[in-house]
Amino acid sequence: MLDTSKSSHPSSNVAIIILNWNGFNDTIKCLQSVLNIDYDNFSIIVVDNHSTDNSVNNIISWLKMQYIPQQNKWNNLFVYNEFHIPSQTNSIDLKEKSIIVIKNDKNYGYAGGNNVALRYAVNMGFDYMLILNNDTVVDKEILKKFIAIEKYTKNFGFLGPRIEPYDEDKQVHYGGRLNIWLGRASRNRFSKISKEIEFLPVDHLSGCALFTKKEVIQKLQGFDEEYFLTFEDTDICYRAIKKNYRNYVVVNTWVKHKEFGSTPSTTAIYYSVRNRFLFMRKNGRWFHWFSFLPIYLLGTTKQIFLLLFKGNFTDAKAAFYGLRDAFLNRRGERKK
């Protein structure tokens, strides 16, 4: 078993980053879980991506009224606008547990929203960062188990847990393999792994729970914001591999994840179709396109016709526009 009794860096401080967009109920459930993590030295950064449902006030009210008064160890709450975030490393004491709420002036998507928090965490001097979707709940031992990995491998880029769905009908999964010839990221299913294995290398990890360290974020300069939403997690894991890091899933820790908790299906379909092509533009070699392009066109066309056959015209339209914008090389947030 992984020895979590002593970390190779016993005083390592961790920033846990939670991105919110119009989902304060999920975010509060996530915070309830995170605040119970069994680890002495971590702070929480909640980034709101310009929500329109009064998320910030609801989250702050819950923290002030429900949680902080009952927990003496959580007595530092800071609220910043994205353009007024302090850059001095001594603006917070990393030895004290703090909750920082950052209000973005627009919706920057998954990539841009998390980058705001990652830049802040790096500037403040946090050693590690755990990036969580707001529709997750976590194992209370998750930080101890992640940090223990450094005793076994010093060159990790990203770590992820096994992902347990809220919906019991769905399968548990844990990272996966990337087929660059097809531009396809596949998921490993938990049933295929020996219970004796505690961590193993993978190509990519789910962006719903990514653990990394400061030097990796500095070298990779965070997420690529041209994706806006979806495939940015695959991209950053692949870029880490190209920088000679390795990515691992830590099988004996977990998060529960709703998947696309606050993202409409049409939005997810559009960005999934468009960004798979964008990923290949950025990472594929010329010879990969001989296999990727026909498979991509055939698969997307089949997807559109199946959606039409089922009468799901809105999602079919989203897939079509994703395909169109892929060839038009449109990037970033989808233009209305």
Side-chain angles (χ1 to χ4, degrees):
M1 293 179 63
L2 290 176
D3 180 10
T4 60
S5 59
K6 293 182 181 179
S7 165
S8 57
H9 301 284
S11 61
S12 298
N13 46 65
V14 183
I16 298 181
I17 296 167
I18 303 169
L19 183 66
N20 177 80
W21 180 70
N22 289 340
F24 65 87
N25 286 318
D26 282 337
T27 299
I28 288 171
K29 289 177 184 176
C30 182
L31 282 167
Q32 287 175 317
S33 170
V34 167
L35 287 162
N36 287 314
I37 287 176
D38 183 15
Y39 187 76
D40 289 333
N41 201 2
F42 73 95
S43 292
I44 302 168
I45 305 172
V46 178
V47 183
D48 183 75
N49 243 349
H50 199 60
S51 295
T52 57
D53 66 345
N54 205 30
S55 275
V56 172
N57 288 336
N58 280 299
I59 291 167
I60 292 173
S61 294
W62 178 82
L63 286 169
K64 287 182 175 179
M65 301 296 293
Q66 300 294 324
Y67 199 85
I68 290 178
Q70 304 169 23
Q71 303 288 330
N72 293 329
K73 59 186 177 182
W74 289 97
N75 55 5
N76 294 322
L77 175 62
F78 304 94
V79 182
Y80 301 119
N81 178 277
E82 65 165 304
F83 297 114
H84 299 94
I85 301 172
S87 58
Q88 300 89 347
T89 56
N90 62 352
S91 61
I92 63 170
D93 186 347
L94 298 185
K95 294 180 181 179
E96 294 187 8
K97 292 192 172 186
S98 301
I99 301 174
I100 301 99
V101 178
I102 298 174
K103 299 183 289 184
N104 287 342
D105 276 7
K106 63 176 289 188
N107 182 2
Y108 294 108
Y110 174 95
N114 278 310
N115 278 349
V116 170
L118 287 169
R119 285 191 291 268
Y120 174 76
V122 168
N123 286 339
M124 292 302 104
F126 284 98
D127 300 309
Y128 298 97
M129 298 91 185
L130 172 60
I131 302 158
L132 291 175
N133 277 16
N134 72 318
D135 58 344
T136 58
V137 295
V138 302
D139 174 13
K140 69 177 184 178
E141 299 284 327
I142 192 168
L143 293 183
K144 287 182 177 179
K145 291 174 181 177
F146 279 155
I147 290 174
I149 288 293
E150 276 218 303
K151 286 188 276 187
Y152 303 91
T153 174
K154 297 290 185 183
N155 71 328
F156 79 83
F158 291 93
L159 304 177
R162 71 177 189 269
I163 312 298
E164 298 184 353
Y166 271 79
D167 185 348
E168 293 182 358
D169 293 334
K170 294 183 179 179
Q171 287 184 296
V172 176
H173 61 91
Y174 57 98
R177 295 297 176 189
L178 174 67
N179 187 332
I180 192 66
W181 290 92
L182 302 179
R184 181 176 294 160
S186 61
R187 287 178 172 179
N188 292 327
R189 301 299 178 183
F190 191 69
S191 58
K192 296 180 180 179
I193 188 172
S194 167
K195 293 182 179 179
E196 296 178 359
I197 297 174
E198 293 182 312
F199 69 98
L200 74 163
V202 292
D203 294 331
H204 72 94
L205 295 153
S206 170
C208 76
L210 281 175
F211 184 82
T212 189
K213 48 195 172 184
K214 180 170 66 175
E215 70 170 72
V216 175
I217 295 301
Q218 289 174 316
K219 285 186 179 180
L220 300 180
Q221 298 184 330
F223 292 101
D224 186 335
E225 297 183 19
E226 289 191 333
Y227 289 96
F228 190 76
L229 181 71
T230 76
F231 250 93
E232 68 287 285
D233 48 0
T234 302
D235 175 85
I236 201 169
C237 287
Y238 188 65
R239 286 190 286 126
I241 291 171
K242 291 196 289 186
K243 292 286 187 182
N244 297 317
Y245 292 106
R246 299 190 74 185
N247 305 315
Y248 296 91
V249 60
V250 182
V251 180
N252 66 347
T253 189
W254 54 267
V255 303
K256 289 185 181 291
H257 183 216
K258 283 186 178 180
E259 294 197 56
F260 297 112
S262 60
T263 305
S265 64
T266 52
T267 302
I269 288 171
Y270 169 82
Y271 284 110
S272 295
V273 171
R274 191 199 71 177
N275 288 350
R276 182 181 170 197
F277 195 92
L278 178 58
F279 175 83
M280 289 301 293
R281 280 187 186 272
K282 290 175 175 288
N283 297 292
R285 303 287 298 277
W286 64 269
F287 45 82
H288 293 137
W289 288 83
F290 288 106
S291 57
F292 166 72
L293 191 57
I295 295 295
Y296 172 78
L297 288 172
L298 182 63
T300 305
T301 303
K302 179 181 177 182
Q303 179 184 11
I304 292 169
F305 277 105
L306 282 174
L307 289 168
L308 289 172
F309 179 75
K310 293 177 181 178
N312 197 336
F313 301 111
T314 304
D315 285 355
K317 189 176 179 181
F320 171 78
Y321 284 134
L323 180 63
R324 179 201 66 181
D325 288 354
F327 280 92
L328 292 175
N329 198 21
R330 290 178 176 167
R331 308 179 182 204
E333 185 177 10
R334 181 184 181 184
K335 300 297 185 288
K336 302 295 183 183

